[in-house]
Amino acid sequence: MSDALLEVRGVSTEYHTQAGPVRAVDGVDLDVKRGEILGVVGESGSGKTTLVMSLMRLIKPPGRILGGTVLLDGEDLFRLPRSKMPARRGRDLALIPQSAMRALNPVIPIDKQVAEAITVHQRTGRKVALHAARERLEEVGIPPERCRAYPHELSDGMRQRCVIAMAVANQPKLVIADEPVSGLDVIVQARILRLISELRKSRGLSMILVSHDLPIVAKVSDRIAVMYAGRMVEVGEASTIFEKPLHSHTKALVEAIPQAHAPRRRDERE
């Protein structure tokens, strides 16, 4: 069995604009190892979100995927009939989106929303799914008495925990987190990042963590991939990226970090 859970080769995606086609992702190669958190970092417009939406085949017109291969546990997702992708999303490949409030249905209690995600992919009764949903919510730190709340009754951090519970409810092979702490205050950010680390340890979670914030990515990632202008310009161990960046754009990202917020080396964190 290959050490790589995800193998991405030559993925390209473009958007058609009035000024002509724009290549948002340009021949990207990427690997994610089993049990690894890979951080994907880059400035706004670098192609990070387009890349992860391409991996999940969620690109909508006027965008289109031009080509490439995406092997998830040996299966090429780009060669699957489009009708079979919804079954893969949520079961094998799950997404934690940027905005929890937009991802949650405002008129359904959160336990029922997580239960619905379970029944879509598992042959189980409603009561069993609801019980499992509450267990998942408690696992991410939602107290039992809050499991029946509506999204507007929860804080930003608790809503983010809900979408994380929904993403891991079916024990997916790979979770993609697209700016999972964007817009949250620094204390809540730290708690969500701690939760992600705990889930990786307890579940053997494999994840792509996407962010424009290099220090945030470095706190939980094993390796970091740097995107610039639609290309993957550098990939390496998190400590190496900071101590010995090779690409000029990576160097610029590192130099832009205030010294007080610079990540510690791995040996200092342990």
Side-chain angles (χ1 to χ4, degrees), residues 38 41 60 74 100 124 127 150 175 197 200 207 213 231 241:
L38 175 72
V41 66
K60 298 179 180 179
T124 185
K127 288 185 179 180
Y150 291 87
V175 174
S197 293
R200 190 266 285 272
M207 177 180 285
D213 194 320
R231 294 178 177 269
I241 290 291

Side-chain angles (χ1 to χ4, degrees), residues 8-226:
V8 177
R9 297 291 181 269
V11 169
S12 296
T13 302
E14 72 175 16
Y15 292 99
H16 289 278
T17 70
Q18 292 182 344
V22 174
R23 189 73 61 90
V25 174
D26 191 4
V28 166
D29 295 342
L30 197 65
D31 289 338
V32 179
K33 300 175 184 177
R34 299 175 192 276
E36 174 185 51
I37 297 180
L38 175 72
V40 176
V41 66
E43 61 189 3
S44 297
S46 62
K48 306 183 303 296
T49 295
T50 297
L51 172 62
V52 297
M53 292 297 103
S54 298
L55 301 184
M56 300 192 74
R57 291 179 62 180
L58 288 173
I59 297 295
K60 298 179 180 179
R64 69 186 183 106
I65 299 170
L66 299 178
T69 60
V70 177
L71 297 178
L72 180 62
D73 217 5
E75 180 179 44
D76 191 350
L77 300 182
F78 280 7
R79 296 181 67 86
L80 283 178
R82 186 170 296 275
S83 60
K84 291 189 176 181
M85 275 305 297
R88 295 295 191 275
R89 292 191 288 263
R91 188 187 70 190
D92 296 332
L93 186 63
L95 176 68
I96 300 173
Q98 289 188 30
S99 173
M101 196 62 187
R102 288 201 298 265
L104 295 170
N105 190 319
V107 298
I108 299 178
I110 57 171
D111 58 352
K112 289 187 177 179
Q113 295 192 52
V114 178
E116 182 179 358
I118 293 172
T119 56
V120 165
H121 297 286
Q122 300 181 33
R123 294 181 178 179
T124 185
R126 186 176 301 177
K127 288 185 179 180
V128 173
L130 194 58
H131 178 74
R134 290 169 182 166
E135 287 184 335
R136 297 292 79 74
L137 288 166
E138 291 181 42
E139 183 182 2
V140 300
I142 304 296
E145 65 272 14
R146 303 294 284 160
C147 287
R148 299 177 184 177
Y150 291 87
H152 71 273
E153 297 175 318
L154 302 174
S155 67
D156 289 341
M158 292 182 78
R159 285 194 290 264
Q160 195 62 29
R161 289 173 183 270
C162 291
V163 296
I164 292 173
M166 196 176 299
V168 303
N170 294 296
Q171 300 183 336
K173 296 175 181 178
L174 178 69
V175 174
I176 297 175
D178 188 12
E179 300 277 6
V181 297
S182 179
L184 302 177
D185 66 55
V186 292
I187 294 176
V188 178
Q189 283 184 358
R191 290 172 179 167
I192 296 299
L193 292 173
R194 190 180 307 118
L195 171 61
I196 288 172
S197 293
E198 291 170 354
L199 288 173
R200 190 266 285 272
K201 292 177 182 178
S202 64
R203 288 173 165 264
L205 194 67
S206 302
M207 177 180 285
I208 296 175
L209 175 61
V210 178
S211 179
H212 65 279
D213 194 320
L214 187 53
I216 282 178
V217 168
K219 287 179 181 178
V220 295
S221 299
D222 300 292
R223 292 186 302 134
I224 294 175
V226 180

Side-chain angles (χ1 to χ4, degrees), residues 238-259:
S239 58
T240 304
I241 290 291
F242 283 98
E243 295 170 9
K244 298 178 181 179
L246 299 177
H247 193 272
S248 58
H249 184 66
T250 309
K251 292 178 183 178
L253 290 175
V254 173
E255 290 170 358
I257 301 172
Q259 190 61 37

